[in-house]
Amino acid sequence: MGDEMTVYLNGQFLPIAEAKISVLDRGFIFGDGVYEVIPVYSRRAFRLDEHLRRLDHSLSGIRLANPHSDAAWTQLLNELIARNTPEDQYLYLHITRGVAKRDHAFPNPPVAPTVFAMSSPLTTPPAALLASGISAITAPDNRWLRSDIKAISLLPNVLLRQMAIDAGCAETIMIRDDAFMTEGAASNIFVVKNGTLLAPPKDNLMLPGITYDVVLELAAANNIPHEVRKVMKNEIFGADELLLTSSTKEVLAITTLDGKPVGTGKPGAMFAKLYGLYQNFKREVMRA
Ligand code: PDD
């Protein structure tokens, strides 16, 4: 499939193999850029407005002007969806500060940003994984203090995720200052204790997940007890359930942590409830 993919690069739609950028691109040289991942169900972008709001937040966080209006983004992304074959896709958007002579300071005068978008087939977790849950490890959160920016410089996240893979696990839950949980290497994490869903606050130390927001909205709309507050390290280890959310993984149970079972060691009642609500919510979007 790979080579037939149509991507968007700086104003043009073209086969992925023909999409080329300069080695002087500041994304390549400095990791100077931001990105977004947007799921597409039945050819409809999920929560597009919310993803575009977050993109705006990331761009202003790195002091880069948004290259497109919301209307232009919407048109561009819908065209990208139409030019690719899968019904369910995920869109990857990537904007860098452009091509310039290597110098840490911003190019002066500014140069045009590099704007790239591609679509890949969306494969949500299979039934077996939903039934078993996944294994995770914990590790210190050694990232910078602007983890709310969806930055393309993902080296800590890459190393943290690989740490999980090397341990035969799927995700790493990060602990800040040896005290409280922030998020996963590429996901948000919820704790369940005595029937209450606990979520860390959307501050500068975690990515404000779009799936995270949907889960909290669903909890509120369905009278599921929930609290948004700092979640301490001991609360993860004493959890009845742990849940992971992301645009590509949706909602998953974490059933093993650092080699020990979480609660009963099986996906629990809160997972079943929220997973069901999430799938219903998705179906409403597809029908829209
Ligand atoms: N990652 N936290 C981090 C560090 C992430 O990278 C992601 C998503 C999330 C979940 O956010 P959302 O629900 O909006 O997908 C939280 C994407 C999927 C990725 O990098 O591929």
Side-chain angles (χ1 to χ4, degrees), residues 25-26 31 46 63 75 81 113 129 149 153 165 193 229 233 253-254 261 266 275:
D25 193 280
R26 290 179 63 95
F46 184 72
R63 299 167 57 190
Q75 195 187 1
I81 294 168
L129 205 60
I149 297 173
S153 34
I165 304 303
K193 189 67 185 177
R229 59 160 175 83
K233 182 172 124 178
I254 297 170
K266 296 209 165 61
Y275 180 81

Side-chain angles (χ1 to χ4, degrees), residues 35-37 51 54 90 143 150 154 157 174 183-188 207-212 245-248:
Y35 76 107
E36 265 302 318
V37 172
H51 279 281
R54 186 172 67 185
Y90 77 87
R143 300 172 302 163
K150 208 163 168 55
L154 284 172
N157 306 64
M174 293 182 266
E183 59 183 334
S187 59
N188 291 113
L207 188 81
I210 305 297
T211 322
Y212 163 104
T245 65
S246 87
S247 291
T248 47

